[in-house]
Each structure stands twice: as structure tokens, then as C-alpha cells.
Amino acid sequence: GESVGLHLPTLSVQEGDNSIINCAYSNSASDYFIWYKQESGKGPQFIIDIRSNMDKRQGQRVTVLLNKTVKHLSLQIAATQPGDSAVYFCAEAPTSNTGKLIFGQGTTLQVKP
Amino acid sequence: DTAVSQTPKYLVTQMGNDKSIKCEQNLGHDTMYWYKQDSKKFLKIMFSYNNKELIINETVPNRFSPKSPDKAHLNLHINSLELGDSAVYFCASSQGGTGRRAEAFFGQGTRLTVV
């Protein structure tokens, strides 16, 4: 079946440390991946994306790594801040042209001051 | 300035009632979606419309009926509400298609509680 999963439901880090959130996906036909951040009471917000022809993409304080061989995505957040506390989802877009996104189960990031 | 807006934000209703959630997007996108987020935060697509045409129906009970009067609006009507319908419902939109066009922009969500 289709699924995108995250390895850890909750990740607790100290403020200032780096955070790494992992995701395993199962659909080898997906060619586009997104990380979303969902704060309490809000909808998911785009953080960073990556196409399947890349293995790394960097944004401001965030980096996404893609390993197609083992179908693995990770999100790295540098110098984690209290405002980074949220639920993080990876999502994959199959090449079916429907625009549908398949979401993982989410990892809750808790930042300790 | 809100890109994707949905109303109401909270909805508490009794079992058996019929309710609607409205959604509008001002991004000029062709594709709109309804997602359901359960108590464990799992997000799953329910429906997708492209230019008012249904393109995805993920085996949702037919008590749920989406309606798209134009490509900027996608409303969700739910008949005979059940306890298990309690969840947060998110409306989203995208340009539609593959790659970056699949990036979905989400509304703030509607927390539906059936009592």
C-alpha cells in the first residue's frame, strides 16, 4: 500500500542543538517530496521541497536529504529554536499527475529551553 | 490576504445532523483538496477537484459530498454525522500536476466534534 512513514513520533532537543527528523517512503514512483511544519491549531506549512533528481537541498537553517536507494528522507534543522516546536510531516507526490500528496504520520519536535 | 480560508474553525454538533464546511482560495489554483487529520495527527486525502471536476475520491463514505461551484471554492457537506467523523478537516489548493505544482497550500482547519 501507499505509505510515507516517520521513524520517531516525538523528538526532544535542546535549544541551539541540531535536529534531524527522518522519513521512510514506499512509493518508488514519487518524484517530488515536501516537508511541512504544523504548529498547534494551524494548517501544515511548506518548509522545503526536493525533486527526485537531487539528493540534497538547503534552505535557511533547514536541509533536506534524499536517498532514493533506501527510500529515505531527512530534515535537518540547524540551531533549533523554540519556534521550531511543531509537528513535522514529510509528503510525497506520485507521478500520477493528480497533484495528490501522501503524508507520513508526523514527528512532534519539542525544543527545550 | 489569507490564501486558503475555511469556515467555521470549530464545529460541534450532534450525531445524525448534517453540516457543511466552506473553503475558498485566492491563489488562482486549479486544484483543491479536502484532507482529514485524525486524533493521531495522520493526514489523509479525501477528495481532489480540478477546475470543478472530481479527480480523487479516496473511498470516503457517500455521506461526504464535496461541491465545487467554481475553481476557487470547494465546500464539504456531511450528512448523518457519526462520532467517528470527529477530526480536523483541512482544505488545500495547488496548481495541480506533478513536481512543484503538487505543493499544497493549506487552510487553518475545521475542528469537527460530533457528540
Side-chain angles (χ1 to χ4, degrees):
Chain A
E2 299 173 324
S3 68
V4 178
L6 291 169
H7 296 307
L8 289 173
T10 304
L11 178 65
S12 187
V13 301
Q14 206 69 38
E15 181 179 356
D17 287 353
N18 296 335
S19 303
I20 299 176
I21 300 172
N22 294 305
C23 174
Y25 65 94
S26 60
N27 191 337
S28 56
S30 294
D31 64 352
Y32 178 65
F33 304 86
I34 305 175
W35 280 100
Y36 280 92
K37 174 185 180 183
Q38 185 179 18
E39 295 176 88
S40 181
K42 296 184 177 180
Q45 287 185 294
F46 173 96
I47 303 174
I48 192 167
D49 60 355
I50 191 166
R51 290 184 177 274
S52 59
N53 61 355
M54 302 170 72
D55 53 22
K56 181 179 180 179
R57 189 152 190 248
Q58 287 186 292
Q60 190 176 16
R61 282 202 307 118
V62 293
T63 300
V64 54
L65 299 177
L66 174 63
N67 184 332
K68 293 184 292 295
T69 303
V70 295
K71 295 182 194 167
H72 185 268
L73 269 170
S74 68
L75 176 70
Q76 300 176 1
I77 304 174
T80 313
Q81 301 168 0
D84 295 327
S85 294
V87 180
Y88 290 81
F89 295 93
C90 63
E92 61 177 314
T95 54
S96 59
N97 201 35
T98 61
K100 165 183 169 181
L101 290 176
I102 302 167
F103 282 83
Q105 292 186 341
T107 291
T108 299
L109 178 64
Q110 298 173 338
V111 183
K112 295 177 287 187
Chain B
D1 286 319
T2 304
V4 181
S5 60
Q6 55 183 109
T7 55
K9 187 169 172 64
Y10 299 98
L11 186 52
V12 181
T13 189
Q14 289 187 324
M15 274 195 304
N17 283 350
D18 303 337
K19 290 293 178 186
S20 291
I21 308 171
K22 294 186 176 182
C23 180
E24 175 181 7
Q25 55 95 4
N26 62 6
L27 296 166
H29 287 162
D30 290 334
T31 305
M32 295 186 73
Y33 312 85
W34 279 106
Y35 281 83
K36 179 179 180 181
Q37 186 171 49
D38 63 21
S39 58
K40 295 181 180 177
K41 300 286 189 183
F42 186 60
L43 265 167
K44 185 170 168 56
I45 192 165
M46 299 172 67
F47 299 104
S48 171
Y49 269 73
N50 183 272
N51 275 322
K52 304 192 295 176
E53 182 181 343
L54 179 68
I55 56 174
I56 295 175
N57 180 340
E58 290 283 321
T59 60
V60 178
N62 58 15
R63 295 184 297 103
F64 290 78
S65 51
K67 284 192 171 48
S68 182
D70 55 63
K71 76 172 193 176
H73 295 83
L74 180 62
N75 303 322
L76 183 64
H77 189 75
I78 316 170
N79 290 328
S80 304
L81 277 154
E82 300 176 357
L83 292 176
D85 297 330
S86 296
V88 182
Y89 292 85
F90 286 99
C91 178
S93 72
S94 77
Q95 295 178 68
T98 58
R100 189 65 190 266
R101 295 181 63 87
E103 179 194 342
F105 293 75
F106 286 82
Q108 294 286 293
T110 295
R111 181 174 292 277
L112 171 65
T113 304
V114 183
V115 297

